[in-house]
Structures are given as C-alpha cells and as structure tokens.
Amino acid sequence: MNNAKIMAQPLKVIIGYYKVVMWLLTVSIMCGFSSFSAAGCLPQAITSSMEGAPNIKNLSILMLEDSTQKLTFEDVSGFSIDRFTPTAGVVDSAVKGGSIWLKLCLDKNLDAREHWILSVLPAYIKKVELYEIIDNKLNRSVVGDVTAWDKRKINYRGYAFHLDFSRYSEKTIYLKLDFHHRISADIMMIDGASMYDVVADDYLKFGMYFSIVLIVFLANLILSFRTKNKSYFYYSMCILFLSSFTILNGGYLYQSLFSDEGMSAMPAIMVSICLYFCSLHLFFNAAYELESNAKLLNIANYIFAAGYVIISVCYLISNDLLLYRIVTVIYMASIPVFFGMVVYDVFWLKKHRFFSLSLVPVLLAFVLSSARSFGMSDSFAFVEEIPAVASLVHMITTSIILAKKAWFLESEKSKAVKELLRFSREYSSNLERDVDCRTKDLALSNEKLNNEIESRRLTEDRLREAIIIEQKERKMKREFVAILSHELRAPVSAIDMAVQNLEFNLSKSVLSESETSTSNRIESIKKSTNKLNRIIENTIVNDKLLRIDCAEIEVVEVELFGLIAKTVSTIDFECRVDLSGIKEEMMAKVDVDLVQIALSNLIDNALKYSDKCFPVKITMMQVDDCVEISVIDNGEEISEDEKRDIFEKYYRSHTAHGNPGSGLGLFLTKMIAEKHKGSIKVITNDSNVGGNTFVLRLPI
C-alpha cells in the first residue's frame, strides 16, 4: 500500500507540470492571436532553416475568395483579419472560377538570405498579380498563362517573383490569382541560391519521365501494328494523351509550345485529359473483350468515349466554365466505371489482373486531384502532378509485368528452340536413314527398270522383226490375190464370153427340146459365172479397203438413181427389184465402183433371203446433209444380238445356213460406207410386213 502511494506521487507531479505547460501555451497562443488580430496578418518568419528546399506547407498565408472578381487591391488591403481564411502553401476552394487574394506578412531573420523567389503553381492559372509596397509606393507585377515567355522575369515552369530583403526585413505581399475553372494552387518560397537546383531537379525528373513514356508509347504502338491488336493501339494513345496532360499540367515545354503572346495552355490541357479518358474507355472495351463479356458495359464505354470527343471539339472552339462543369460530371462518372471494370477483371474475368491493379494508382491520383475541385485536398502539395507520378508508377509496373512476360516468353522460346533443334537433329537423322533406304530402293528399282527396258527393247526388236515379216507376208498375200484374181478372171471371162456366144447363136433359131435344155444349162453357167465374179471383186475390194483411207478413194459427183439402176441391171433376178420408191433424182460425190459393190451386196443379200414372190424394194431420201438408200426385204427378222455382229468380217447369221456366201459382203459394205464418212444400219420391219431394212447413209 505504501509502495503504491510512493509510485503515485511522481505521477501527480508530472500531471501538475503538464497542466502548467498547457496553461502557459494557451496564454501564449491567445497573446499571439491578439497581436495577430491587432496587426491584421499572420506573421511568416523567413529563417535559414528554410533555405535549400521549396517551402510550401510551412507557410502562413491568409486567403480571401473573390468569385465575382470585383475586388481591388484597395478593397482587399483595407479588410480586417476576419474576412480572410488562414491557410498554408496548398490553396484550394470548392468555388468554380473566379479569383482569390492571398496575403503574406514576411519577416526575414538576420541569419536568412536576402534574395528569395516566390513561386506559384500550376502553370495553367489564368493570371497572377503581385502587389508589394516599396518606399510607400505600390509595386504591381502581373504574369498570366498568355504572357509571352520572353516577357517573364524568371524562366520557370510556373509563375515566379523575385523578393528582395536587402533593404527591408519585413514585407507584406498581396497575391491575386485568377482561375479559368477550379481554384487550386501551390505557393512556394525558395531562396534565390537554390532556385536553379530546384529547376534542374524538376527538369531531370521530367526527362526521366518523358523517356519512359516515349519508350512505352513506341513499344505499344509497334506491337499494335505487328499484332493487329486494337488494345495495344488504344493503350499507346492512353499513354500519349496522359503524358501530354501531365506535361502541360506541370508547365513543362511551355517555352517551346506557348512562347507567343496570347496563347493559353488550358484548352490543350482539357483536350488531352478528355482524349485520355476516351482512349481509356476504348482500351477497356478492346483489352477486356467487353463486347462479348459485358455488352452493357461495352455500350456505356462507347457512350463515354463519344462524350469526351464531343467535349474536346467544343474546347477547341470555346474555353467556357460550363464545359468544365460538364467534363467534371462525366469525369466523376467515369472513375466509378473504371474502378468497376478493374474489380470485374480482378475477381471475375481474371484476364489482365496485374495490369488492372497497376491502373489503380492512376485512378486514385485522379480521384485525389479531383478532390481539389471540392476543396478537400489542402493536406497534399503538388496534387496536380500526382497523375504524372501515378502514371509513372503504372508504366513501371506495366513494364515489370511485360518484362516478366517477355522473360517467360523468352524462356519458352529458348525451350522451343532447343526442342526444335532436337527435333531437327532427330528428323535429319531419320531423313538420312530414309534417304539411304530410298537410295538403295531406287538403285534396285533402277536395276529392275534397266532390265525391264532391256527386255522391252528385245521385245520391240522381235516385234519389229515380226512386223517386217508380216508386212512381207501381206505383200505376198496381195500379190497372190492379184495373181489369183487375174488367173481366175481370165477363164471366167472366157467362160462368160462362150456363154454369151451360145446365147446369141441359140437366139437366132427356134429351139428344139434338146436346145431348150441346153439354154437352161447356159443360163445356169451364166449365174455361176456372175457369182464367181462377185466373189473375186469382194476379195479384191477387201484387200484394197484395208490399204487405203478416206482421203484416197476416188469420188466423183454422180446421179444416184442411175447408179442404183445400173447396179440392179448386173444382178440376177433383176425383175424382183422394185425401184418405184425412188421419187426424185439426187446427186452425191462417191466412189462409183465401191458404192456399186456395196449396193450389189445389199441387193444380192435381200434377194437371197427374201421370198421369191416378194419384190425387194429400194427407196432413197435426203436426211439433213446426207442421203439414205434403204434396201427392204421380207426375210427372217435379225435378232438384236445378231445386229451387233452382222457387219463383222466372216460372220454369217444362223439364217444363212443353206445359202452360199463368204461373210464378206456386209463387212465390205460397212467399210465402204465408213470410207465415205457414212454409215450402215439394219432395222427390223413392222411385224405386219416382216423382214429387215438395210439403210446405207452417204454424205451428199
């Protein structure tokens, strides 16, 4: 118990001491506030500890909003402290457009430097006016976003003013900031000796950022053309417009892009940010394949993209506050959509999870930047440049992801190359074996082929010898036929002449019974002689037709009826031939001797196989450019099977038994027709008539 009391006594002493300190601190604050109220300002001490770095959040500044832009320096300088709002170097307001007044009461310590730079960012502030009383005179300096670069006293990416404490250690400065749209600014105090270090550091970071952006932009643009993938193209456009926005927003390259009087960067900034969000919407559609995965989201992205394009066009025409408010509404609607798509991909689609997560810093940066539009980001300095840092983080993350994928693809490529080399070696080895086997097979095949060629050569030689022998035999046969025909014709002609003399002698006197018998024998000899003549003619014609072609027959133009009548007159039983069916005369170019033989064979067959009481009818008619000569008999009908063979050489029908013949007549008739480029066919007559009709078709 005593120990507890002993331990509690020091605690009471500490608590009592704390109360005394807090009371003294409260009193000093109240006294300071009283003096502040009396002086109408918040004193800002300029000390040596502020040297070597930009001072932002450690500044004490008073701010007055002027949404109507009607207040003058005289009005503001006469206002009491109650009209102002205390703030630091980070200044923002929820008011859209208008002006703000800033009041700084600077007190330089003895150990601090005499020359300082007052910097105002961002670079797109419409106009900055600095009011300073020197030697009881008002000194006014004005710099705006349309001020030519060569008219600015200090070359800096923002607005910079020189503060000289060589004569006076205390200064009261008023700043009037006019804004296009939203009110946000960063006020910095930099000692003059460190200013160039700060500028060099800014542009060094900008150079690193720009080089990374350029590399990523070109890499994705090249990939878009190589792979024909729209997502790479849209992503390269996102990088292009986002980098354009951050570069313009940060004030870099103003000296090159907006050096002339009257040129404002604000339209270019708003167009670049609008086109960035347009490209981002299109990128999500292409990369996440929303057309097939989420059609409503796909349509919404296209609507957002179209809206941003329309606003961009309007910004090129007019830089109105209403356009900024419309962009703000669309922009604040786009951010949840982007976050929704990231969540959708990470948890459901799972196609580009790492890439989606790498977009989160960029989206958060725009959310934080947008917070300045509502006056909620005064705890963060340089919020306008956070998208650049976030995009750099995003691109580095993306590059790491791409490098990882590239390393994976390279390793897979290396494996594939090794596998391909192994397969190539195996294939080469197998190919060599196959080539060896095929070469051996080819050698064997070559040998067999050579043997076969030799065998065929020997066969051809034998065949050639056989052909020569056959040609000799044919020649001997033709010579034999010619000799035989000559030898046969001589006695047959003598017999025929003797018969004709006997007929002539008998015809001069009245025949007795014995002479009548002799006349009949003479008639029989005459018929036999005619038959023997036809056989000899058919044999000679057969041999002739086998040796000639169509071009070698001797054709002359002849009247066909006379040719038919002449042929009929040489045939026995010519009285049984009816030529009344021939109604008109027709001319044709034919070989007379050959056609006579063909007609003689057809008429002789018709007479031979017809009833002796039935006349053989001959008709003739023109069909197209041909003439058809029909020989009609009433013999036994020829079957369909025999019709195919009846024109073959030496073929005799079963109806020919008992009738003399050699089987050459119809064969020769067919050959004669073909030599004239004509044809012959047999047709069965009507059942009422019976018999057959042989139709010889010859060209006119």
XYZ file of all heavy atoms in Angstrom, residues 447-463:
147
model
N 17.802 -50.825 -111.337
C 18.294 -52.058 -111.941
C 17.154 -52.831 -112.593
O 17.273 -53.314 -113.727
C 18.983 -52.910 -110.868
C 19.678 -54.146 -111.419
C 20.397 -54.919 -110.335
O 20.445 -54.421 -109.185
O 20.896 -56.009 -110.627
N 16.035 -52.933 -111.836
C 14.871 -53.617 -112.404
C 14.379 -52.904 -113.659
O 14.001 -53.533 -114.652
C 13.750 -53.686 -111.368
C 14.047 -54.611 -110.208
C 12.886 -54.614 -109.222
C 13.162 -55.546 -108.037
N 12.057 -55.529 -107.061
N 14.372 -51.549 -113.575
C 13.899 -50.774 -114.717
C 14.811 -50.967 -115.927
O 14.336 -51.115 -117.066
C 13.833 -49.291 -114.335
C 13.272 -48.339 -115.389
C 11.842 -48.713 -115.739
C 13.330 -46.903 -114.890
N 16.120 -50.999 -115.679
C 17.060 -51.228 -116.779
C 16.849 -52.605 -117.404
O 16.882 -52.765 -118.633
C 18.497 -51.091 -116.282
C 18.859 -49.648 -115.966
O 18.304 -48.728 -116.558
N 19.767 -49.450 -115.022
N 16.622 -53.594 -116.493
C 16.343 -54.943 -117.004
C 15.061 -54.970 -117.823
O 14.986 -55.605 -118.884
C 16.266 -55.938 -115.853
C 17.603 -56.103 -115.139
O 18.668 -55.884 -115.745
N 17.578 -56.502 -113.878
N 14.056 -54.256 -117.279
C 12.774 -54.230 -117.990
C 12.909 -53.499 -119.326
O 12.328 -53.910 -120.337
C 11.719 -53.538 -117.119
C 10.322 -53.601 -117.708
C 9.279 -53.015 -116.785
O 9.614 -52.726 -115.615
O 8.129 -52.845 -117.226
N 13.687 -52.387 -119.296
C 13.912 -51.649 -120.545
C 14.616 -52.536 -121.569
O 14.256 -52.550 -122.756
C 14.731 -50.380 -120.260
C 13.881 -49.367 -119.470
C 15.236 -49.756 -121.555
C 14.651 -48.164 -118.994
N 15.633 -53.280 -121.090
C 16.351 -54.183 -121.991
C 15.417 -55.260 -122.537
O 15.446 -55.587 -123.732
C 17.523 -54.820 -121.245
C 18.411 -55.724 -122.085
C 19.120 -54.980 -123.199
O 19.270 -53.739 -123.080
O 19.501 -55.613 -124.200
N 14.566 -55.763 -121.593
C 13.617 -56.799 -122.020
C 12.644 -56.247 -123.051
O 12.345 -56.896 -124.065
C 12.864 -57.331 -120.801
O 11.855 -58.226 -121.182
N 12.164 -55.007 -122.795
C 11.224 -54.406 -123.740
C 11.917 -54.086 -125.063
O 11.297 -54.176 -126.129
C 10.634 -53.131 -123.139
C 9.669 -53.409 -121.993
C 8.914 -52.178 -121.593
N 7.953 -52.467 -120.530
C 7.082 -51.584 -120.048
N 7.076 -50.356 -120.535
N 6.241 -51.925 -119.089
N 13.173 -53.683 -124.972
C 13.912 -53.411 -126.205
C 14.025 -54.676 -127.064
O 13.827 -54.644 -128.284
C 15.305 -52.876 -125.867
C 16.085 -52.373 -127.093
C 17.457 -51.925 -126.696
N 18.242 -53.032 -126.181
C 18.830 -53.954 -126.933
N 18.705 -53.913 -128.259
N 19.538 -54.926 -126.391
N 14.342 -55.791 -126.375
C 14.418 -57.056 -127.102
C 13.066 -57.434 -127.682
O 12.967 -57.910 -128.824
C 14.930 -58.162 -126.168
C 16.372 -57.987 -125.652
C 16.700 -59.070 -124.631
C 17.365 -58.033 -126.816
N 12.011 -57.193 -126.854
C 10.654 -57.495 -127.331
C 10.304 -56.627 -128.534
O 9.689 -57.101 -129.512
C 9.638 -57.268 -126.204
O 9.994 -58.064 -125.071
C 8.232 -57.623 -126.651
N 10.657 -55.319 -128.439
C 10.392 -54.422 -129.563
C 11.151 -54.868 -130.814
O 10.623 -54.792 -131.938
C 10.790 -52.989 -129.197
C 9.836 -52.329 -128.203
C 10.296 -50.934 -127.827
O 11.376 -50.513 -128.307
O 9.579 -50.274 -127.055
N 12.382 -55.316 -130.606
C 13.153 -55.812 -131.758
C 12.463 -57.010 -132.395
O 12.331 -57.095 -133.635
C 14.570 -56.182 -131.327
C 15.396 -54.958 -130.955
O 14.997 -53.840 -131.351
O 16.422 -55.100 -130.249
N 12.023 -57.915 -131.494
C 11.323 -59.097 -132.027
C 10.017 -58.690 -132.706
O 9.653 -59.236 -133.753
C 11.058 -60.094 -130.896
C 12.314 -60.802 -130.404
C 11.964 -62.009 -129.544
N 11.296 -61.635 -128.308
C 11.924 -61.375 -127.168
N 13.253 -61.454 -127.114
N 11.258 -61.051 -126.089
N 9.330 -57.739 -132.064
C 8.072 -57.270 -132.642
C 8.311 -56.583 -133.981
O 7.540 -56.753 -134.945
C 7.386 -56.304 -131.667
C 5.999 -55.793 -132.057
C 5.017 -56.950 -132.201
C 5.472 -54.808 -131.018
